[in-house]
Each structure stands twice: as structure tokens, then as C-alpha cells.
Amino acid sequence: MSSLLQSFLDPKKSWLAALHMKSLSKRLRKYGLRYDDLYDPYYDLDIKEALNRLPREIVNARNQRLKRAMDLSMKHEYLPENLQQMQTPFRSYLQDMLALV
């Protein structure tokens, strides 16, 4: 049963998962966020510990992306199109450290 669920959630095998991934990517690019930025360190202690173990430059970049996204959201604006194309929403910086924690 779990292999069936995994194949349903894999964007390479399921068109619905691929459609969801494309939609999520488009929304994250509008604000210049990465998927790992959505994790809340106050909700999960593993996330908090992983963020504490990351280098300061990565954590500072994460905080800047979150501040920019909040500012754009409050102004009801999006990033310009040329900056949206440069964003990499699914480049992970937290998953390796999270696996260690």
C-alpha cells in the first residue's frame, strides 16, 4: 500500500503531483521563497535544532527571504518577473541537516 501511495505522490509518475508541484513552485517564486523556508522552527523542535546547526550565512539568507516575502505580502505585490525567473524554490538547504538531527 505504501508503494502505491509513493507512486501517487511522485511528480515523475503522477500528473496530479506534477501539477501541484508546478503550482507550488509558481507561488513560491512570486515571493522569492524556497520550500524549506516554510518550515516553522517554533512548531517543530527538530527544525529549530537543524537551523541552529546551519552556518549563519544560510540562516541569514533564509531570514532575509522571509522578511522580503512578508513585505511583499503586506504591500500586495509580487517580485518582478525577471527576479521570479532567477528563484530556485526547490533547492534544499535544510533537509541534509534535518536528516542528521
Side-chain angles (χ1 to χ4, degrees):
M1 186 66 171
S2 68
S3 64
L4 177 65
L5 184 62
Q6 288 295 340
S7 66
F8 182 70
L9 297 176
D10 186 12
K12 296 174 186 158
K13 296 179 182 177
S14 172
W15 66 271
L16 189 58
L19 183 66
H20 173 69
M21 190 170 177
K22 182 179 177 183
S23 171
L24 182 61
S25 173
K26 186 176 180 180
R27 288 190 291 172
L28 288 174
R29 285 177 193 265
K30 286 182 181 182
Y31 292 106
L33 290 172
R34 290 187 180 174
Y35 187 76
D36 287 349
D37 295 337
L38 302 178
Y39 290 116
D40 186 8
Y42 296 113
Y43 181 71
D44 191 357
L45 293 177
D46 290 341
I47 301 294
K48 184 177 182 178
E49 181 62 29
L51 285 172
N52 286 336
R53 292 184 183 189
L54 285 173
R56 262 310 108 198
E57 300 84 31
I58 295 175
V59 176
N60 288 341
R62 176 184 193 266
N63 292 335
Q64 289 297 327
R65 284 191 300 272
L66 289 171
K67 286 178 187 178
R68 177 181 57 195
M70 285 187 280
D71 182 53
L72 289 170
S73 176
M74 290 180 73
K75 292 178 181 176
H76 299 283
E77 295 177 0
Y78 298 128
L79 279 178
E81 287 293 326
N82 58 345
L83 290 178
Q84 286 184 28
Q85 298 303 321
M86 295 171 44
Q87 302 302 313
T88 54
F90 291 109
R91 181 183 292 168
S92 178
Y93 61 89
L94 190 61
Q95 296 303 320
D96 295 334
M97 190 59 71
L98 196 57
L100 292 175
V101 172

